[in-house]
Amino acid sequence: MFCFQCEQTAGCTACTGAAGVCGKTADVARLQDDLTGTLVALARAESDGRGDTESDGLMLEGMFACVSNVSFDPKAIAALERRVRAKAISLGEFSSYDMRLLWDAQEDIRSLKSLLLFGMRGVAAYAYHAQALGKSDPVVAAFLYEGMRAVGSDLDMDELLPLVLKCGEVNLAAMAALEEANVSAYGKPEPATVELKVEAGPFIVVTGHDLHDLKQLLEQTEGRGVNVYTHGEMLPANAYPELRKYPHLKGNYGTAWHNQRKEFKDLPAPILWTTNCLLKPDESYADRVFATGPVSFPGAHVVEAGEDGAKDFSALIDKALELGGWDTDRTFAGINGGTSVTTGFGYDTVMSVAPAVIDAVKSGDIKRFILLAGCDGMRKERSYYTDFAKLAPSDSVILTLACGKYRFNDLDLGSIDGIPRLLDVGQCNDAYGAIKIALALADAFGCGVNDLPLSMVLSWYEQKAVCILLTLLHLGIRGIYLGPTLPAFVSPGVLQVLVDNYGIRPISTPEADLAQIMG
């Protein structure tokens, strides 16, 4: 196998053995390459850049299935590839692209094509979530065809660089569509304190990102005596009014995705796996895993969607009733010992206190805003983000989103003039809200984003983080700190371009980086 799309790739170079660090086998990696090559064929078949509904859906589903930690089932991936191939053949395209041509390409070309491909996988993931709620953007769909044709074409660096930045621009549109879809369906997020506690009795844990799946589950568990708890990136669901109105959505269990094996072992409840940020389940709880959407594991219970998108979770609910949960209430703690966390500080909430924020900046009470955000992962170096939050000066405000916040979101950092020093904007899917906050603050102060007292310290793991980074570059944002390691697929030549044009820098130590940030 050859795979270097995630942050934890072996030796920070590439996974090339019988299995990747994530747990996927060489067979799965090969089948994902086959699927990607066939998606290139589909993009060539839709050469006018406007696919039909079936092609658009296959493009999103196929690209999402190749995101890190989504699908580990060779049969499911092979079946999806056959569906894409059949569609391409029906449109007159018979030849798929051999991904070895990409992996063996000249270093900088391989780097830029990989940056484009992995970024598009992230875009497809956001578009997939929006599509589940009936929201799509033809600009996004058209670009995925354009970008996939570019992956399979003989292009030079000058031709690829604009496409990489265009990926960031299109991702902004994809995230905007997703935010509109979420707010229309579930209301505007509101600040919420979420207890890290599980009550006695039957319950279900929901992990991943998909709010549509959670909403259907809440509807079907109503009145059944089964409580529901979020996990990982599902935590911000507790901030949406149309989800919080269900009294049996009780709170959050556990922390970030990479702790699943520890947190799900001996859990007397089933787990619903939606979308990505998943680990191949340990045998101790594999029989309690229910997968839906693009998620696939050999032997997992699969909940399929009907033609109208509805899903029947009755088997999952029956399993929760059978297992029964714990006999007594149990309180858990975050990695720093806290027993509750806050979330729901989206764009509208932050803008509602914008005058107070502006006054605090002008008075000197707030010296710096720091976007400390991104993915979590297993490397011990990620303790950097915990230490950074603890060391951040008391006159700084930290905005956060995505699962990297579990490194510090149970800390009590206090407030400044009534403004909490830690503001959780939401999922990685909610990055658009953080971008809007930055742009609104720049407008309020009459300056550019790069002139704000704002620093961005990001952690990355998978491809949604890649497309968010490309969006920030598209917006011209400079001086981003990135860690815990730089992407293996970014060649020295391409890295130099990013450094020269955008001032991207690797993280060093919290003390050194904070000294530089705070001036």
Side-chain angles (χ1 to χ4, degrees):
M1 68 182 294
F2 179 87
C3 184
F4 61 173
Q5 71 173 358
C6 85
E7 189 272 331
Q8 291 180 176
T9 191
C12 295
T13 55
C15 293
T16 58
V21 172
C22 69
K24 72 179 178 184
T25 64
D27 283 345
V28 168
R30 175 183 57 79
L31 288 166
Q32 288 180 335
D33 275 358
D34 291 345
L35 173 57
T36 302
T38 306
L39 289 169
V40 172
L42 178 60
R44 289 169 172 168
E46 299 285 8
S47 57
D48 62 356
R50 293 182 302 161
D52 58 20
T53 301
E54 182 185 10
S55 290
D56 290 354
L58 286 169
M59 185 64 72
L60 296 184
E61 185 179 355
M63 296 188 78
F64 202 167
C66 294
V67 169
S68 294
N69 296 50
V70 173
S71 182
F72 293 74
D73 188 349
K75 291 182 179 179
I77 299 169
L80 178 53
E81 190 277 336
R82 288 193 295 270
R83 289 167 53 206
V84 177
R85 179 180 293 272
K87 180 62 177 180
I89 289 174
S90 74
L91 296 170
E93 180 61 52
F94 295 91
S95 59
S96 64
Y97 175 70
D98 185 348
M99 290 295 288
R100 289 175 296 183
L101 296 174
L102 171 55
W103 308 140
D104 294 337
Q106 188 272 338
E107 184 179 50
D108 291 335
I109 298 299
R110 180 180 73 168
S111 180
L112 285 174
K113 283 191 174 183
S114 296
L115 195 54
L116 175 60
L117 173 62
F118 303 155
M120 287 192 297
R121 287 176 176 172
V123 173
Y126 291 131
Y128 181 97
H129 288 297
Q131 184 187 65
L133 295 172
K135 183 70 176 178
S136 60
D137 188 329
V139 171
V140 175
F143 177 73
L144 294 179
Y145 293 120
E146 178 187 5
M148 290 303 282
R149 286 195 296 273
V151 168
S153 300
D154 185 14
L155 302 179
D156 60 26
M157 286 188 67
D158 290 338
E159 294 169 305
L160 288 168
L161 273 169
L163 283 171
V164 169
L165 291 179
K166 186 176 180 180
C167 183
E169 178 183 8
V170 170
N171 183 57
L172 192 63
M175 291 192 298
L178 178 57
E179 181 189 65
E180 181 182 344
N182 282 339
V183 169
S184 296
Y186 314 118
K188 295 178 181 178
E190 300 171 350
T193 298
V194 183
E195 299 297 325
L196 306 181
K197 173 184 176 182
V198 175
E199 295 182 9
F203 67 97
I204 295 169
V205 174
V206 184
T207 192
H209 302 74
D210 201 293
L211 301 179
H212 185 51
D213 289 334
L214 176 61
K215 178 66 158 55
Q216 293 187 72
L217 178 62
L218 288 170
E219 291 171 344
Q220 294 176 39
T221 48
E222 194 168 21
R224 298 292 305 276
V226 176
N227 291 329
V228 177
Y229 295 86
T230 56
H231 178 274
E233 283 274 52
M234 293 298 290
L235 166 64
N238 292 279
Y240 285 94
E242 288 301 308
L243 299 176
R244 288 174 62 183
K245 72 180 185 181
Y246 292 93
H248 57 294
L249 176 60
K250 292 291 186 177
N252 191 75
Y253 169 77
T255 54
W257 65 272
H258 62 94
N259 292 320
Q260 287 172 3
R261 290 195 180 124
K262 175 177 64 177
E263 292 171 349
F264 294 165
K265 184 179 181 182
D266 302 323
L267 192 70
I271 310 105
L272 177 61
W273 299 42
T274 74
T275 68
N276 64 311
C277 292
L278 307 170
L279 285 175
K280 188 176 180 180
D282 184 77
E283 290 184 3
S284 64
Y285 61 85
D287 65 327
R288 303 194 296 279
V289 170
F290 288 73
T292 193
V295 179
S296 185
F297 291 89
H301 305 285
V302 177
V303 181
E304 300 282 4
E307 291 185 4
D308 60 352
K311 297 179 180 180
D312 180 0
F313 290 113
S314 57
L316 171 65
I317 297 167
D318 289 344
K319 190 68 173 178
L321 292 168
E322 174 194 333
L323 292 170
W326 282 300
D327 294 333
T328 58
D329 294 355
R330 297 198 179 194
T331 298
F332 299 89
I335 69 167
N336 301 289
T339 56
S340 68
V341 295
T342 58
T343 189
F345 292 92
Y347 170 79
D348 291 285
T349 296
V350 174
M351 286 302 100
S352 70
V353 296
V357 171
I358 293 168
D359 288 345
V361 173
K362 289 181 177 179
S363 69
D365 291 343
I366 295 177
K367 291 285 199 310
R368 201 80 186 168
F369 297 95
I370 301 169
L371 181 63
L372 188 64
C375 309
D376 201 5
M378 300 178 186
R379 292 191 193 277
K380 62 180 181 0
E381 292 88 348
R382 289 180 181 268
S383 61
Y384 167 97
Y385 298 93
T386 307
D387 296 339
F388 189 103
K390 290 179 177 179
L391 293 169
S394 60
D395 54 7
S396 64
V397 171
I398 295 175
L399 290 95
T400 191
L401 55 89
C403 64
K405 63 175 168 273
Y406 280 107
R407 292 281 172 172
F408 50 82
N409 68 339
D410 64 323
L411 292 171
D412 182 2
L413 299 183
S415 61
I416 301 174
D417 299 342
I419 301 164
R421 284 193 56 233
L422 180 60
L423 302 173
D424 177 14
V425 178
Q427 295 181 337
C428 65
N429 295 6
D430 298 311
Y432 184 67
I435 291 171
K436 286 203 303 180
I437 290 170
L439 295 175
L441 288 174
D443 184 63
F445 284 105
C447 65
V449 173
N450 290 317
D451 300 315
L452 283 172
L454 169 67
S455 298
M456 298 190 180
V457 184
L458 306 182
S459 57
W460 80 283
Y461 174 77
E462 42 89 348
Q463 294 75 65
K464 286 189 279 188
V466 173
C467 65
I468 291 172
L469 176 62
L470 296 183
T471 294
L472 297 175
L473 300 185
H474 156 70
L475 293 171
I477 294 173
R478 295 181 53 84
I480 297 170
Y481 292 77
L482 186 61
T485 63
L486 293 177
F489 53 82
V490 173
S491 67
V494 171
L495 177 60
Q496 195 60 52
V497 171
L498 298 178
V499 171
D500 292 344
N501 290 282
Y502 302 100
I504 283 184
R505 63 191 78 185
I507 60 171
S508 57
T509 66
E511 294 83 357
D513 291 343
L514 274 167
Q516 189 170 45
I517 286 169
M518 300 303 294

